[in-house]
Amino acid sequence: EKISKFKRILLIVSTTGDGDLPHQAKSFVQNLQSLELGEIEFAVLALGDRHYKNFCQAGIKINEMLLGSVEHS
């Protein structure tokens, strides 16, 4: 809930395995998904290994989720 009080956020997202979200981050992302983020500006920095087919997929999914929940002007 504290995140919704910020004007800008930067999420640094690690990818594990073939594009998966780390186990420790799953509940955070579920909580983030349930928030109304209004007009918060955000950036996602995704980390991963290019040797995997789904390189940085966890970050891409979070970015898409946030794009769907933030109002665009």
Side-chain angles (χ1 to χ4, degrees):
E1 293 179 8
K2 292 179 183 181
I3 288 177
S4 61
K5 297 177 184 176
F6 291 103
K7 293 180 181 182
R8 294 181 189 100
I9 58 174
L10 169 64
L11 296 171
I12 301 172
V13 181
S14 176
T15 300
T16 185
D18 194 17
D20 299 322
L21 190 64
H23 178 72
Q24 302 90 328
K26 290 181 182 182
S27 63
F28 172 78
V29 172
Q30 288 173 342
N31 290 332
L32 184 64
Q33 190 172 16
S34 67
L35 293 177
E36 179 59 47
L37 298 178
E39 296 183 14
I40 293 176
E41 295 179 26
F42 72 91
V44 177
L45 172 63
L47 306 173
D49 184 340
R50 289 189 186 273
H51 292 101
Y52 288 96
K53 179 181 175 184
N54 294 311
F55 173 65
C56 290
Q57 192 63 38
I60 292 168
K61 287 180 181 178
I62 290 173
N63 188 63
E64 290 172 351
M65 177 192 73
L66 291 174
L67 283 173
S69 66
V70 175
E71 296 176 13
H72 301 282
S73 53

